[in-house]
């Protein structure tokens, strides 16, 4: 079964992360078969100062 690596900006609550991993697991089992306990999910929270889009750090104002 799959292992998912999720990187996202920090700030999500434990409840949001719990719902996310529940839904990813549910859909994985639905689509791929197998058992829920064979789906691994690793979440990495990235500080805004360490993420940039379009050459702009996420600590900078967005226009």
């Amino acid at each position: 079964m799959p292992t998912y690596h999720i990187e996202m900006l920090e700030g999500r609550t434990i409840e949001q992360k719990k719902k996310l991993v529940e839904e990813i697991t549910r859909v994985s089992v639905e689509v791929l078969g197998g058992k829920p306990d064979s789906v691994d999910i690793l979440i990495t929270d990235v500080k805004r100062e360490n993420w940039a889009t379009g050459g702009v750090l996420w600590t900078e104002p967005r226009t």
Side-chain angles (χ1 to χ4, degrees):
M1 286 299 284
T3 299
Y4 296 96
H5 296 262
I6 300 170
E7 294 179 281
M8 59 187 173
L9 291 173
E10 65 183 351
R12 278 31 176 245
T13 66
I14 295 296
E15 293 78 21
Q16 288 172 314
K17 292 177 187 180
K18 182 179 178 195
K19 179 69 173 172
L20 177 64
V21 299
E22 288 171 351
E23 290 299 314
I24 290 170
T25 300
R26 180 187 64 75
V27 170
S28 296
V29 170
E30 179 181 308
V31 172
L32 303 174
K35 297 179 181 180
D37 62 357
S38 64
V39 177
D40 291 314
I41 302 169
L42 295 91
I43 298 174
T44 303
D45 285 326
V46 180
K47 293 184 179 213
R48 294 173 108 51
E49 66 194 39
N50 295 327
W51 194 305
T53 301
V56 180
L57 291 172
W58 277 92
T59 52
E60 300 296 319
R62 311 305 288 182
T63 56

